[in-house]
Amino acid sequence: MRWSVDQVLAVAPDPPSIAAGRTQAAATRWTGLGASDAAVWGACGGSGKNPYLTCVQLAEPAFRCSCPSRKFPCKHALGLLLLWTEGAVPAGEEPEWVRGWLAERALRGRRGAERPEAPRDPEAAARRAEQRAERVAAGAAELREWLVDRVRGGLAGVDVEELYGVAARMVDAQAPGLAGGLRRAAGLIGRGRDWPGRLLTELALLHVLAEASTRLPTLPADLAATVRSRLGFPTDTADVLASGERVADEWLVAAVTDEVTERLTTRRTWLRGQATRRPALVLAFAPPGQPLPRTFPAGHTVRGELAFYPGAAPLRALVADVSEPVRSGRPAGDSVLAALHSFPEALAVDPWLERWPVVLADVAPVADGEGWALVDPEGAALPLAERVDPWPLLAVSAGAPVTVAGEWNAAGLRPLTCWDGDRVVRL
Amino acid sequence: MTAWEDLVSAALLGTQRRRPDPAGLPAALRPLVAEAPEEALLTAAAVLANYRRAGRAPARPDSRMPVAERDGRPLVPPAALRRLPRVPAELLGEWLQAVHAKDMRVPPERLPALAEAARTRPALRAPLAAVAGPAGSWLGERNPEWSFLVAAREEQAWEYGGPLQRREWLRRTLTADPVAARAALASAWPREPAGDRADFLAVLGEHLDPADEPFLEAALDDRAGQVRETAAELLARLPGSRLAGRMRERAARFVRHDGERWAVTLPDPVDADLLRDTGGVRHPAELLRRIIGATPLDHWARYGTPEQAIARPVIGSDPGTLRAGWVLAAGRQRDALWGAALLTAADPAAIDGTVIQMVRLLPARLHGPAVAVLAAKLSPQTMASAVALLPAPWTAELGTAVLDWLTAHPGNRGLGGAARAAGRTVPLSCLRHPIAMAALPVGAAPWWRELAATLTFRREMHEELS
């Protein structure tokens, strides 16, 4: 049944989104519009070369759009729904990318429902694990075939819809890590000057991952653990707490950042051992709109033990046993060169590493072509990532050196915390 | 072409059409490419991509940024900072002014969002620039959209500042050292763009002195209409000026006292001297309004009190034209007697913004009675629009009178606009008015609760900053 306008407005995150959504509710902006009992979809022309693919699953509801908006649902989804309320969306068959997404969601929903009642039956567990390994292997084989085929025909011909379709099949194959990589790849198409290079990087690393998945039994145990986690095999937190590597230290909470996607809010808390210099990543999850489990505030320290997940470059950890957080002053940080040197070591054992934590001491902002960079007293500089809003950090620094904690990767530095004297500022 | 670029273009075109050149690859990768080309390309790309990520060298920029001066002012208290995101746009200026008045600063990381707000709301710019201090100037120099944050050094503001800073300098210096200010204005005058000349004149108008007359007389011949109009406006506020004398003569010629009536002749719109003195309009009735508006009000004293002058019948023109001229004159000459008489005599159907201005001419003790006069003449709905037109700032007496008037109409649902205007505009001393402190009366219209909330919000806002 079609929704009323009020129902549509009720799912909007804020009034500006409603206004923006109305601007998108013009049939001339859309192609491939369609609606079934389960979903409404369409492709909306944006500023980029490729149109954004927008789809709304009506039951929950759930939203997906290939646009980069952080608003959820985005203006395209709202515009699409408003058009639909006006009767301007024709009934139709779900195209492949919509069907794939719906199937993927159905599967996830079922798995979520199954989890609590899973009994501790080691034989059944082993059988399930074997079945899963077989499905992942089949998915990986399919992905490799597809990759070879696409490289032969040319990546210029790959479009977003096709990548989403393959991603949905990887979800069916219980390899969410492969699916996630394909969706990231879909987001790169047509974006920025060097998108072909970034697309090739993403797909080539997926290819290595798919290949590694076929060799799991022969890989060293640590590397196998890394590959398994990158493929998306779950790790039981109880096992991590029971047998994971324990490291005791005074841990600085260097940065905290939340990432909101349609199904999940993920909080990344980056810790840094003051004596061991070990970086650690603690993840916390919550459904959108729900509060996250208690986490530590940036700029504090906690004393005690973390338990690390297994892996070749163990980074992800669980909080095992730590004291209450205590406010700390400005931490000691590294030079740009020292921070850069720590990255390849980690990358060498985990080539799929997406982000690496850095704490930079005494870096000052400097204009760097179109963007901004942070330069240390030795004159070495790291660029800020393009998507970062540099102004809050620039305002705190006002030209003077500051200590900055953030995430580094090939796209640049994403500052998350800086210190204004001893005052911690979450950026 | 680098080995990487070669791989990317082969992948983009497809290995069917183009094979990557193995010669460009590191030796360890070459054998791969020679065999199964697609798999090999993907493997080589994965290796090279991570070489590139891992081997990234830091940039070596050769330029540095200047460092802003240290700002020694204390940060606003935490409670005020927690409130900041909830301060509605129309109260943001008041919040910033209160912060500035306490000589505090906001944490610098909040400045970009505030600068964005001020970019679209110019009224926030000056208070934000003051609160933002040296960090704000530094940001304004980096981001042209926020250039209004740049505080030119005080002594250099006139020479090098932006329009906003120069006006501020002029305003400050007209108070502190009027002679230097006027000298600076006169010497810069010929080089200034027309828009700035008109703005500077308006600032001068805030400190108008009879000695400014020659300068303003000269400005009546300015090339720019906007400047001529402002000059005529300011001269009209100097009762002893030559312009005032010329206008007196014209008033006597066009408005004659004929028994118990005013006999009006409309002026001729081709009189060049008249056009020069009135800023250049060519409509007879409008010319008459401007003549009356620029004639010193004491001109009419020999014909009786303001009340008598206003009550007298008019022949030869619309009586409204004459009255509009007096309204203009009373406003310019800050004449409370005429203001009160015009307000009292105003026809309820003709009460507009210019008549409402009369309220401000009255001494504070008469603000309450003035609101009572208006309220008696006007329906609550019309009164509500009049309240929205009352020029800010309001005195405590005016604020109290308006809140009292609202209190008398708890159930009237048409007063939302007036209640909103009152909530924003009443001065601090009115924030504890019973309308905010007492319980919501039974049957009160929704604006009542909203008004009480606004007054309470403002009270808490100021308490946090004290």
Side-chain angles (χ1 to χ4, degrees):
Chain A
M1 203 180 70
R2 221 156 45 210
W3 294 7
S4 68
V5 173
D6 283 346
Q7 274 174 291
V8 177
L9 301 187
V11 300
D14 52 30
S17 295
I18 295 177
R22 290 197 199 279
T23 65
Q24 304 300 316
T28 51
R29 289 179 169 270
W30 294 82
T31 53
L33 283 168
S36 65
D37 288 342
V40 187
W41 60 87
C44 182
S47 51
K49 195 183 80 180
N50 294 293
Y52 299 131
L53 293 176
T54 313
C55 178
V56 180
Q57 184 190 17
L58 296 166
E60 277 193 54
F63 309 90
R64 154 162 298 171
C65 185
S66 59
C67 78
S69 169
R70 289 186 174 191
K71 289 284 179 68
F72 190 76
C74 66
K75 61 181 178 182
H76 305 107
L78 291 171
L80 176 64
L81 285 172
L82 287 170
L83 266 183
W84 178 57
T85 60
E86 293 163 12
V89 176
E93 283 269 291
E94 291 146 11
E96 170 68 15
W97 64 277
V98 173
R99 208 164 35 242
W101 180 56
L102 294 177
E104 174 186 332
R105 292 184 48 76
L107 184 78
R108 263 191 289 183
R110 213 163 47 238
R111 267 212 315 280
E114 277 165 10
R115 198 171 296 138
E117 69 207 36
R120 271 290 200 180
D121 174 349
E123 257 182 57
R127 208 165 43 243
R128 272 202 306 278
E130 200 180 315
Q131 277 168 359
R132 178 165 191 169
E134 279 166 19
R135 298 183 71 167
V136 171
E142 185 188 347
L143 176 60
R144 289 172 66 194
E145 237 171 78
W146 179 84
L147 280 167
V148 163
D149 198 41
R150 285 334 246 134
V151 168
R152 187 178 301 128
L155 294 180
V158 177
D159 66 16
V160 175
E161 199 168 325
E162 181 180 358
L163 282 165
Y164 273 123
V166 184
R169 293 207 291 286
M170 291 306 114
V171 172
D172 288 344
Q174 292 191 301
L178 298 177
L182 286 161
R183 281 195 294 258
R184 274 199 302 280
L188 297 172
I189 291 182
R191 294 261 170 77
R193 198 169 31 80
D194 61 337
W195 70 266
R198 286 181 292 134
L199 179 66
L200 177 61
T201 301
E202 190 70 60
L203 294 179
L205 287 168
L206 274 178
H207 179 253
V208 175
L209 184 57
E211 177 149 344
S213 75
T214 65
R215 293 199 223 149
L216 278 173
T218 64
L219 294 177
D222 284 347
L223 185 56
T226 296
V227 170
R228 288 173 60 84
S229 83
R230 293 293 172 193
L231 286 166
F233 281 99
T235 310
D236 196 336
T237 53
D239 291 347
V240 174
L241 285 172
S243 55
E245 180 196 7
R246 293 281 185 131
V247 180
D249 203 336
E250 182 179 358
W251 299 93
L252 166 75
V253 184
V256 180
T257 179
D258 294 348
E259 193 171 293
V260 183
T261 62
E262 59 191 54
R263 288 275 291 191
L264 207 60
T265 302
T266 305
R267 171 165 294 171
R268 294 194 292 274
T269 302
W270 293 104
L271 300 157
R272 178 176 165 104
Q274 300 295 74
T276 58
R277 298 265 142 191
R278 278 281 292 260
L281 169 63
V282 173
L283 295 176
F285 306 97
Q290 300 288 312
L292 284 149
R294 201 180 75 107
T295 46
F296 303 127
H300 286 57
T301 56
V302 291
R303 212 175 258 288
E305 281 188 356
L306 301 184
F308 283 81
Y309 281 70
L315 187 60
R316 189 175 168 194
L318 291 173
V319 175
D321 180 21
V322 299
S323 63
E324 283 296 302
V326 180
R327 265 208 60 172
S328 97
R330 187 155 53 110
D334 299 324
S335 69
V336 161
L337 269 180
L340 271 182
H341 280 158
S342 64
F343 184 50
E345 284 171 28
L347 209 53
V349 286
D350 182 356
W352 304 282
L353 196 63
E354 283 175 58
R355 35 182 94 81
W356 184 246
V358 294
V359 180
L360 301 171
D362 296 331
V363 281
V366 60
D368 171 35
E370 300 280 284
W372 295 91
L374 294 177
V375 61
D376 73 8
E378 290 155 27
L382 290 184
L384 296 190
E386 252 173 62
R387 289 192 179 196
V388 165
D389 170 13
W391 294 105
L393 173 61
L394 289 172
V396 171
S397 145
V402 283
T403 298
V404 173
E407 296 171 340
W408 164 253
N409 72 9
L413 178 71
R414 184 161 168 250
L416 296 171
T417 311
C418 72
W419 282 264
D420 180 18
D422 273 344
R423 192 173 66 93
V424 62
V425 178
R426 196 171 159 180
L427 297 167
Chain B
M1 197 187 288
T2 66
W4 173 250
E5 287 162 355
D6 183 41
L7 283 183
V8 172
S9 67
L12 205 58
L13 287 170
T15 49
Q16 259 172 349
R17 289 159 65 188
R18 180 181 165 159
R19 297 286 177 92
D21 173 16
L25 291 172
L29 292 176
R30 266 175 233 156
L32 288 170
V33 183
E35 294 163 27
E38 294 81 25
E39 298 254 1
L41 190 154
L42 285 163
T43 308
V47 174
L48 269 194
N50 264 7
Y51 268 5
R52 286 158 51 84
R53 285 165 78 194
R56 175 130 181 187
R60 294 278 171 187
D62 44 14
S63 64
R64 294 294 171 101
M65 302 242 150
V67 177
E69 245 170 79
R70 231 186 71 78
D71 193 335
R73 296 173 297 173
L75 290 176
V76 296
L81 205 53
R82 279 195 297 275
R83 179 181 299 268
L84 176 56
R86 292 187 290 124
V87 176
E90 67 269 16
L91 293 182
L92 203 49
E94 182 176 342
W95 189 87
L96 289 169
Q97 268 153 7
V99 171
H100 180 50
K102 298 287 171 192
D103 202 23
M104 294 189 278
R105 65 186 172 111
V106 298
E109 67 274 14
R110 305 289 187 102
L111 293 178
L114 288 168
E116 272 306 291
R119 195 166 64 78
T120 51
R121 299 177 78 95
L124 296 177
R125 293 178 184 178
L128 178 60
V131 164
S137 301
W138 190 93
L139 284 175
E141 281 161 11
R142 312 271 99 68
N143 188 335
E145 297 199 318
W146 303 338
S147 59
F148 53 84
L149 291 177
V150 179
R153 291 184 166 283
E154 231 166 76
E155 64 273 20
Q156 297 177 345
W158 180 251
E159 293 294 329
Y160 303 114
L164 192 77
Q165 283 88 36
R166 301 187 68 204
R167 286 208 290 282
E168 273 307 309
W169 181 91
L170 187 61
R171 194 167 278 138
R172 231 177 16 243
T173 315
L174 276 167
T175 312
D177 185 356
V179 175
R182 287 181 166 86
L185 181 60
S187 75
W189 188 255
R191 298 186 307 272
E192 301 294 336
D196 289 355
R197 289 203 303 278
D199 288 342
F200 291 145
L201 271 194
V203 174
L204 184 65
E206 296 165 16
H207 301 263
L208 199 58
D209 186 280
D212 290 324
E213 193 197 338
F215 183 65
L216 295 173
E217 272 284 339
L220 282 179
D221 297 316
D222 200 272
R223 328 186 266 290
Q226 205 188 348
V227 176
R228 292 198 298 270
E229 199 153 335
T230 309
E233 161 83 30
L234 293 183
L235 279 169
R237 283 171 38 193
L238 292 175
S241 69
R242 278 174 290 163
L243 177 93
R246 296 197 291 274
M247 289 303 191
R248 251 184 231 277
E249 283 166 26
R250 290 175 181 131
R253 182 145 38 98
F254 295 123
V255 183
R256 285 186 317 279
H257 190 239
D258 168 25
E260 279 312 298
R261 298 178 304 187
W262 294 119
V264 175
T265 319
L266 287 178
D268 178 357
V270 298
D271 177 345
D273 289 341
L274 176 55
L275 293 183
R276 172 180 184 263
D277 282 353
T278 52
V281 282
R282 289 175 184 278
H283 186 270
E286 176 59 17
L287 276 172
L288 179 68
R289 187 183 76 92
R290 292 196 183 197
I291 289 168
I292 308 295
T295 301
L297 284 163
D298 64 14
H299 170 76
W300 314 97
R302 71 190 105 148
Y303 308 117
T305 63
E307 286 78 7
Q308 289 164 338
I310 295 166
R312 202 159 280 144
V314 179
I315 55 165
S317 99
D318 174 2
T321 306
L322 210 52
R323 201 172 277 191
W326 283 324
V327 167
L328 184 60
R332 284 170 169 171
Q333 295 165 39
R334 313 269 197 272
D335 191 311
L337 275 181
W338 274 88
L342 287 161
L343 191 63
T344 311
D347 169 4
I351 289 188
D352 62 3
T354 49
V355 178
I356 302 293
Q357 300 267 350
M358 299 296 104
V359 174
R360 198 166 54 178
L361 302 183
L362 305 179
R365 68 187 159 77
L366 293 182
H367 284 166
V371 169
V373 166
L374 281 174
K377 273 177 188 282
L378 305 174
S379 72
Q381 261 65 337
T382 317
M383 178 65 188
S385 7
V387 165
L389 293 171
L390 284 170
W394 292 4
T395 59
E397 289 80 1
L398 184 53
T400 307
V402 171
L403 293 177
D404 288 347
W405 168 74
L406 284 165
T407 314
H409 299 85
N412 190 321
R413 305 178 87 81
L415 307 186
R420 263 192 299 284
R424 287 196 303 265
T425 321
V426 296
L428 301 192
S429 58
C430 295
L431 298 179
R432 288 180 176 275
H433 189 273
I435 207 167
M437 309 301 280
L440 195 69
V442 177
W447 57 257
W448 187 296
R449 183 190 297 273
E450 202 186 311
L451 172 60
T454 303
L455 297 178
T456 306
F457 188 97
R458 288 180 58 202
R459 183 166 53 75
E460 291 170 353
M461 192 172 104
H462 286 278
E463 282 168 2
E464 283 159 2
L465 288 169
S466 58

